[in-house]
Amino acid sequence: MNHVSTEPAVPVVSDEFAGVDTVDFYGGKPLLGSVDVRGAKNLVTKAMVAALLADQPSVLGNVPRISDVAVVRGLLEAHAVLVTDSASGELTLDPRGVKSAHFAEIDAHAGSSRIPILFCGPLLHQLGEAFIPDLGGCRIGDRPINFHLDALRAFGAELEKSHEGISLRAPRRLTGAQVDLPYPSVGATEQVLLTAVRAAGVTELRNAAIEPEITDLIAILQKMGAIISVETDRTILIEGVDSLSGYRHTAIFDRSETASWAAAALATRGTIFVRGARQQELMTFLNVYRKVGGEFTVTDDGIEFRHPGSALQPVVIETDVHPGFMTDWQQPMVVALTQAEGVSIVHETVYENRFGFTDALIDMGANITVHKEGIASITRRVPRRPLEQAAVITGPTPLHGATVRVPDLRGGFSHVIAAVAADGQSTVENVGIISRGYEHLLPKLAGLGASFEPRVG
Ligand code: EPU
């Protein structure tokens, strides 16, 4: 196997959840204090893959200790990329010895992550072959990969499906393509960027995602030598180059973690300063926060989020692609909306099944009805998508302790803040999954004054 062991390194994931699957929370207290938010999970993992495109090492700063980073590191090491890290959260990624990995090893490292699909373009350029195991990720609908596969075929990749997954080959250099995405998918946009930068000729990507994490990835690729222009109307033009050099980059802050702590301040009647958060990339979130009655102060170092001390107001939210309200923000905000006076509605338009977490909130006393077929709204900015859902939340309802099981990453954080807000004891099971995207969750909660006890063993 091509696994390359590096020097003994600081582990990429904190071991706070080692052996811990269940945490007992003693709720009813406000969260007060500050937390640090680091590089965005949804940029850092892609930036690590981008390092594969270079002929020199890259250095990525502001890397959080989360398990999705550990997964990508494992996959890179399986392909003989040398990865070293520093205590300050800087990763050095050296792709000069890159080799193919056995599919079983890719499968083992990938676990439940969907990240292997983004290795395809870089590996096809470097090695002429790649492999995608059966993909996991959070259980939030079918999460198909058809946009990715269609784009890879358009670049000239040959795909063969087998029991284990999909094998890809590039019999000759990949060539620039015209790709028109049926939906501005974040992952498919990244797929096209990571493939087009070294393909021969020009790629025109239409209906691209333009999330700030995508812009940060484009900035990284530009540092590496790529030529990418973001045109109007979600069109991105990429002029392929023969080779790319390494990059040095500090990852953009995690917008979803920031929104999670902001919602936690509302749900627990607390005040949380999120150090490292920036206003520019959160404007849509901040507008909704203000409409709910939440208060915030922006400083050069971060943003302080506060419960107003008076009643929270109900809102209607529609999740959307950027610059809309992110789907990853709705779960913690739903917890806060259980405390608003009146009826709130959350339309989920990005994923077809992302309200599973509300069952646990209902067990804790929330009044939430999920309409699986969605409900009409005259304010829609995107055409209705099949199978989308809507949640109607009627508040305020006091939350009380319950035993709940974490279904996925963002739903899991919402369960934790509900448990911290609720009166009495709550038991939250399957908490380890939250370390996929939240660094040092338990120490941060302790620092904010939450009372809890992890069950070890
Ligand atoms: N879609 C397809 N076919 C495809 C790809 C996507 O139909 O080939 C559909 C999806 O089923 C979904 C929609 O397009 O309904 C949007 O999916 P997208 O590709 O934009 O999402 P993603 O790249 O799989 C990333 C984040 C998600 C985040 C979404 C939307 C990562 C690793 N994941 O997912 O983050 O919710 O973009 O912003 O970057 C999370 O952090 O908890 C998380 C789920």
Side-chain angles (χ1 to χ4, degrees):
M1 234 34 17
N2 299 314
H3 187 92
V4 172
S5 52
T6 57
E7 294 163 24
V10 185
V12 174
V13 191
S14 63
D15 56 5
E16 65 188 83
F17 287 113
V20 174
D21 190 47
T22 301
V23 178
D24 293 320
F25 287 91
Y26 309 97
K29 284 198 299 181
L31 291 178
L32 300 169
S34 64
V35 291
D36 288 338
V37 71
R38 295 226 274 164
K41 164 178 92 70
N42 293 348
L43 175 273
V44 166
T45 46
K46 327 300 171 60
M48 292 170 72
V49 178
L52 261 180
L53 286 160
D55 50 19
Q56 292 162 359
S58 293
V59 180
L60 181 62
N62 206 18
V63 177
R65 285 166 195 279
I66 54 175
S67 58
D68 270 15
V69 167
V71 166
V72 183
R73 178 181 183 153
L75 282 166
L76 287 169
E77 289 177 342
H79 290 89
V81 176
L82 278 171
V83 184
T84 46
D85 59 1
S86 72
S88 62
E90 206 171 71
L91 276 187
T92 302
L93 308 129
D94 184 348
R96 284 175 293 188
V98 63
K99 289 185 192 148
S100 296
H102 190 272
F103 76 82
E105 202 175 3
I106 300 174
D107 208 11
H109 281 285
S112 64
S113 166
R114 290 164 55 84
I115 205 83
I117 187 147
L118 291 180
F119 277 62
C120 292
L123 288 179
L124 288 170
H125 286 303
Q126 294 281 33
L127 305 169
E129 59 180 23
F131 174 75
I132 309 169
D134 269 346
L135 294 169
C138 283
R139 291 178 202 289
I140 45 179
D142 275 351
R143 299 194 74 177
I145 57 169
N146 51 328
F147 304 164
H148 295 254
L149 301 183
D150 289 348
L152 287 162
R153 281 194 197 95
F155 284 109
E158 292 178 357
L159 281 63
E160 197 181 326
K161 292 193 182 168
S162 66
H163 288 312
E164 293 86 19
I166 303 170
S167 300
L168 296 94
R169 271 183 357 105
R172 60 198 73 80
R173 184 176 177 191
L174 298 179
T175 50
Q178 170 94 34
V179 180
D180 204 338
L181 292 178
Y183 182 78
S185 151
V186 168
T189 298
E190 293 159 345
Q191 179 75 260
V192 171
L193 287 168
L194 290 167
T195 308
V197 281
R198 279 189 50 191
V202 176
T203 294
E204 182 176 288
L205 172 61
R206 288 183 182 272
N207 206 20
I210 50 166
E211 269 62 8
E213 294 78 18
I214 300 261
T215 307
D216 211 34
L217 180 63
I218 291 173
I220 289 172
L221 293 168
Q222 189 179 51
K223 284 176 176 174
M224 296 172 79
I227 303 169
I228 302 170
S229 55
V230 181
E231 310 283 308
T232 53
D233 297 339
R234 297 187 175 277
T235 297
I236 301 180
L237 294 177
I238 305 119
E239 294 174 42
V241 296
D242 291 344
S243 63
L244 292 169
S245 56
Y247 67 82
R248 176 173 277 277
H249 191 79
T250 302
I252 184 176
F253 76 101
D254 198 303
R255 297 185 301 141
S256 297
E257 184 178 1
T258 304
S260 301
W261 290 117
L266 283 188
T268 66
R269 303 182 71 85
T271 297
I272 302 178
F273 180 69
V274 183
R275 194 176 295 104
R278 281 203 318 224
Q279 177 185 16
Q280 282 84 338
E281 293 83 4
L282 285 172
M283 288 194 163
T284 303
F285 178 80
L286 294 173
N287 286 337
V288 172
Y289 201 75
R290 181 164 278 159
K291 283 187 194 169
V292 175
E295 296 175 349
F296 59 88
T297 305
V298 178
T299 73
D300 287 348
D301 297 332
I303 306 178
E304 181 181 86
F305 296 95
R306 295 182 299 277
H307 188 283
S310 52
L312 299 181
Q313 302 306 310
V315 284
V316 176
I317 299 172
E318 181 162 311
T319 67
D320 206 340
V321 293
H322 189 74
F325 190 94
M326 267 190 100
T327 167
D328 302 320
W329 299 338
Q330 57 97 342
Q331 301 83 347
M333 277 306 279
V334 165
V335 183
L337 292 175
T338 65
Q339 303 310 304
E341 284 199 353
V343 178
S344 297
I345 305 176
V346 179
H347 299 272
E348 172 57 55
T349 80
V350 179
Y351 289 110
E352 66 192 49
N353 178 17
R354 223 180 178 188
F355 285 124
F357 71 98
T358 57
D359 289 345
L361 301 184
I362 293 166
D363 289 346
M364 298 173 89
N367 180 345
I368 302 174
T369 306
V370 173
H371 296 267
K372 291 198 187 309
E373 302 300 321
I375 48 179
S377 162
I378 49 166
T379 57
R380 313 188 63 86
R381 288 200 294 113
V382 288
R384 192 174 191 283
R385 300 187 79 207
L387 293 176
E388 69 181 44
Q389 299 189 329
V392 178
I393 306 123
T394 307
T397 47
L399 299 178
H400 55 74
T403 296
V404 300
R405 189 165 178 82
V406 167
D408 59 49
L409 174 62
R410 306 294 168 197
F413 188 92
S414 79
H415 289 179
V416 166
I417 58 174
V420 171
D423 280 331
Q425 181 187 329
S426 293
T427 300
V428 184
E429 299 170 346
N430 200 30
V431 284
I433 199 171
I434 304 175
S435 69
R436 279 193 48 209
Y438 293 86
E439 183 183 48
H440 302 321
L441 177 70
L442 297 181
K444 282 180 181 173
L445 284 169
L448 293 169
S451 300
F452 60 87
E453 216 168 308
R455 290 193 199 168
V456 181

